[in-house]
Amino acid sequence: MDLKGKTVVLALTGGIAAYKIATLASMLVKQKATVLVLMTENATRFIAPLTFEALTGTRCMVDTFDRSFSFEIEHVAVADRADLVLVAPASANVIAKMANGIADDMLTTTVLACRCPKLVAPAMNTGMYENPATQANLARLRGYGVEVIDPACGRLACGAVGPGKMPEPQQLLEHIQRHLTCQKDMAGLHLLVTAGPTREALDPVRFITNHSTGRMGYELARAAMLRGAQVTLVSGPTALEPPPFVELVRVESAQQMHDAVMAAAPAQDVIIKAAAVADYRPAHTAGEKIKKSGADLTLELTRTPDILAELGAARRPGQFLCGFAMETRDLLDNARAKLEKKGADMIVANSLREAGAGFGGATNHVTLVEPTGCTDLPLAGKDEVAHRILDRILARRAGA
Ligand code: C5P
């Protein structure tokens, strides 16, 4: 899911954050994008065009009257090639020009001519950012369909602390990827994914859990987000970086996961339960740490709510319900039984016994178990597997 074949125009204005765009340009090149760089005269005082030329292998464009771009009208040629333009760092001055259709240099002329998605990352002193004139200009840009990437709060180059800091290159890259990777075939769909293990407390110190890392669920959330869905990710404790642009609800216990999922469920078109929910929890959670004694200790366990089964019983028409099954034996038989017992539309069966599948790793081998039969998917990266699962869900929703 790289950016091969996509042309990204990076438009830099005069701000100290310009240096961060060198990292972004390099990241985009690694993603196989064609990167064209436009700079205002002021931007070239902060970072040299040569830096970008070395990183991107394309000529950096600064003024309007340079005609070496295949003898075409350059700003129009660049605008025609662009799949996306990101103005970053965007100064208050250039934001004001863009908001008013002023085009008096290569950068503003090209951005005005672009018909592709436009993103703007304001970066400036807090006073300038919060000034009603700047805010009105940003509101106007939003009204024109420009995506404004909110600045972060932090220490600014001027020494002040507040909003105005340009987001880090990784975050800018994620905004670009969201626009340019994947067909938006899930636009308008609400999708909920659960991921990770649960923790069932024995006392304030100890808990019962399992080996789930949450990776498959997080890849599903990311894939659905990239395909345009509005994603809610209900996650047990994991060490993973949550995907951007999803609503993350953190929970610990099966009961908390149950409550979060049931609250969000009515609004969902698709629910995928990839979490490894504990089936049992301690019948009593001690208020104080359980002290050891000479005798053995027997724990009494009680059932947790079966969230998937409850969803299956209470779902609304048209809602697609997908569960996961991980077994150490009789995988497909168990998965088929689960499909029926839980009232799900699909069970994704993955074996714990197989190399390259199961907990933690980057790959998975799964079989999609449906009322009409089973589909074995090839061993692949969990991101790829996530997309194939979503493909099938979309096909089923379309009546396949
Ligand atoms: O019953 P079993 O745990 O084998 O089924 C697995 C599927 O059911 C997974 O999709 C899991 O997220 C879900 N599940 C659940 N609530 C539980 C246990 C499992 O929703 N208490």
Side-chain angles (χ1 to χ4, degrees):
M1 239 64 66
D2 56 28
L3 296 170
K4 198 175 168 117
K6 300 291 181 185
T7 298
V8 177
V9 173
L10 296 177
L12 289 83
T13 76
I16 181 60
Y19 78 93
K20 293 188 189 177
I21 301 300
T23 305
L24 178 62
S26 165
M27 287 170 151
L28 288 166
V29 169
K30 283 186 193 136
Q31 296 282 318
K32 303 191 171 71
T34 300
V35 182
L36 304 177
V37 179
L38 298 164
M39 301 175 80
T40 60
E41 284 285 348
N42 284 333
T44 65
R45 294 170 190 265
F46 288 93
I47 185 165
L50 185 61
T51 303
F52 293 104
E53 292 180 347
L55 287 169
T56 65
T58 60
R59 200 173 48 76
C60 192
M61 291 154 283
V62 179
D63 73 82
T64 320
F65 300 103
D66 186 338
R67 288 180 306 282
S68 55
F69 198 81
S70 315
F71 297 99
E72 294 171 272
I73 312 263
E74 189 166 26
H75 64 276
V76 176
V78 173
D80 283 349
R81 284 184 66 188
D83 292 301
L84 178 144
V85 57
L86 168 68
V87 185
S91 64
N93 178 49
V94 164
I95 288 168
K97 286 189 198 174
M98 284 175 67
N100 290 282
I102 296 170
D104 62 356
D105 61 7
M106 179 64 190
L107 185 145
T108 48
T109 310
T110 307
V111 172
L112 192 64
C114 281
R115 294 174 196 275
C116 62
K118 296 177 192 178
L119 280 61
V120 167
M124 64 196 71
N125 159 272
T126 304
M128 294 170 78
Y129 176 67
E130 289 180 344
N131 188 296
T134 304
Q135 288 301 317
N137 287 331
L138 288 171
R140 197 175 221 195
L141 285 181
R142 286 191 188 94
Y144 293 150
V146 174
E147 183 179 325
V148 177
I149 302 173
D150 289 335
C153 267
R155 192 191 155 279
L156 305 174
C158 58
V161 177
K165 202 171 128 78
M166 194 179 75
E168 295 305 314
Q170 177 63 33
Q171 283 163 274
L172 298 178
L173 177 68
E174 280 163 356
H175 278 269
I176 294 170
Q177 284 172 324
R178 178 163 66 146
H179 279 276
L180 295 185
T181 51
C182 301
Q183 289 248 327
K184 305 302 171 204
D185 56 2
M186 299 192 86
L189 287 184
H190 289 78
L191 180 141
L192 182 143
V193 188
T194 67
T198 63
R199 282 181 184 171
E200 310 302 325
L202 272 165
D203 67 15
V205 181
R206 308 172 180 102
F207 50 80
I208 297 174
T209 190
N210 57 65
H211 289 296
S212 168
T213 61
R215 201 152 167 179
M216 192 64 239
Y218 274 53
E219 291 295 354
L220 279 160
R222 175 182 289 275
M225 174 277 292
L226 289 174
R227 291 167 77 153
Q230 223 168 303
V231 178
T232 304
L233 171 60
V234 179
S235 174
T238 75
L240 299 174
E241 187 69 32
F245 315 115
V246 310
E247 190 187 333
L248 177 68
V249 183
R250 287 190 195 276
V251 297
E252 289 227 335
S253 65
Q255 185 63 48
Q256 287 172 359
M257 184 169 279
H258 167 273
D259 296 350
V261 170
M262 296 320 280
Q268 306 303 323
D269 300 299
V270 178
I271 300 179
I272 306 178
K273 291 234 60 235
V277 187
D279 292 323
Y280 292 90
R281 64 176 166 78
H284 310 285
T285 304
E288 304 293 338
K289 183 182 172 190
I290 302 169
K291 302 298 288 180
K292 63 174 165 289
S293 69
D296 289 345
L297 178 69
T298 303
L299 291 174
E300 193 190 337
L301 300 178
T302 183
R303 279 300 314 264
T304 54
D306 189 325
I307 309 167
L308 184 56
E310 214 172 301
L311 288 168
R315 68 160 150 188
R316 61 172 173 76
Q319 188 175 59
F320 193 95
L321 210 50
C322 169
F324 268 66
M326 177 176 274
E327 301 287 347
T328 50
R329 63 177 182 194
D330 303 329
L331 177 63
L332 293 185
D333 286 344
N334 274 309
R336 275 189 215 102
K338 231 166 262 188
L339 186 69
E340 190 133 333
K341 198 176 97 209
K342 304 210 182 210
D345 297 295
M346 183 162 99
I347 295 285
V348 181
N350 52 172
S351 170
L352 191 58
R353 294 277 188 234
E354 207 179 302
F359 290 133
T363 58
N364 211 355
H365 175 206
V366 304
T367 303
L368 307 184
V369 178
E370 300 173 78
T372 47
C374 295
T375 316
D376 191 46
L377 298 184
L379 175 74
K382 284 185 174 167
D383 52 348
E384 179 66 24
V385 172
H387 279 288
R388 295 297 75 80
I389 293 169
L390 296 178
D391 286 347
R392 184 63 197 148
I393 292 175
L394 283 186
R396 283 283 297 283
R397 279 180 53 87

